[in-house]
Amino acid sequence: MTELGSVVWPPAPIETERLVLRESEARDRAGFVELFSSPEVGVYVGGARPRDQLESAMPEVPGRRLGLFVVERDGAMIGMITLDRRDAERPQRVRPEGGEAELGYMFLPPAWGSGYAAEACAAALDWFTGAHPGEPVVLTTQSANERAMRLASKLGFTEVETFEEYGAEQWFGVRLSAASAG
């Protein structure tokens, strides 16, 4: 996020039934390298990056920035969630001025299929709604990414439009909080 207003970043760690969402730490470096070099993870996000390049370029504490949560299970990083301001120049938007918060997430393949993404994203969205009442959150994913499409629906996102980008059909959806829906 380019701006968090009066919200303190990073927030205190957010605990769910099975997970902790927290700020990045040096111990997460190997998890970030694995995440960005994974061919399975890279399928819908532009491909895996070469591990040797990541090893040499990755900072000691990767991902330490506004809007990025590390998702931890049993003391180990299993993924990450981002809440960033969508570029106001992008044609897809739900507010005339654009700049909506956009949810992003990536999880390591061993964490897939256990509901961790849904649990962690729901917690991050709840935090965001508490910090920014009434603000919509948007999400973009490839229409072909069936897992992401199911998760978007489960999290309460509804389709705004589909469009072509990066050589594939993209799905753009919005999640309105109770305050912004009324």
Side-chain angles (χ1 to χ4, degrees), residues 88-120:
E89 303 304 311
R90 298 283 308 265
Q92 295 74 36
R93 60 181 69 158
V94 295
R95 299 187 301 194
E97 71 276 17
E100 300 91 354
E102 183 166 24
L103 175 69
Y105 56 89
M106 294 170 57
F107 283 80
L108 291 165
W112 295 359
S114 298
Y116 299 136
E119 185 176 331

Side-chain angles (χ1 to χ4, degrees), residues 1-169:
M1 291 196 181
T2 56
E3 170 197 323
L4 291 173
S6 62
V7 175
V8 175
W9 190 267
I14 299 168
E15 295 187 23
T16 70
E17 184 179 327
R18 304 176 294 169
L19 308 170
V20 176
L21 281 66
R22 59 169 172 76
E23 181 180 37
S24 178
E25 300 173 359
R27 66 187 170 113
D28 301 318
R29 189 175 189 280
F32 275 96
V33 169
E34 186 64 30
L35 194 62
F36 293 122
S37 66
S38 167
E40 296 90 353
V41 173
V43 167
Y44 296 107
V45 294
R49 295 186 45 205
R51 181 178 290 278
D52 59 339
Q53 288 178 9
L54 288 166
E55 290 283 359
S56 65
M58 184 85 54
E60 183 179 329
V61 182
R64 184 165 280 181
R65 66 172 181 81
L66 272 71
L68 187 143
F69 291 98
V70 164
V71 181
E72 172 186 304
R73 167 119 170 108
D74 297 330
M77 176 186 172
I78 63 166
M80 63 177 237
I81 294 176
T82 57
L83 285 161
D84 293 311
R85 291 285 171 200
R86 185 171 174 83
D87 183 351
E89 303 304 311
R90 298 283 308 265
Q92 295 74 36
R93 60 181 69 158
V94 295
R95 299 187 301 194
E97 71 276 17
E100 300 91 354
E102 183 166 24
L103 175 69
Y105 56 89
M106 294 170 57
F107 283 80
L108 291 165
W112 295 359
S114 298
Y116 299 136
E119 185 176 331
C121 287
L125 289 165
D126 286 349
W127 171 83
F128 182 84
T129 298
H132 300 278
E135 269 203 57
V137 178
V138 298
L139 178 135
T140 305
T141 189
Q142 281 190 23
S143 299
N145 187 342
E146 294 176 11
R147 286 177 183 262
M149 294 295 297
R150 283 193 306 271
L151 180 57
S153 177
K154 186 174 193 171
L155 293 171
F157 284 86
T158 58
E159 182 177 312
V160 174
E161 67 179 295
T162 59
F163 60 97
E164 288 290 319
E165 191 174 50
Y166 309 117
E169 183 181 84

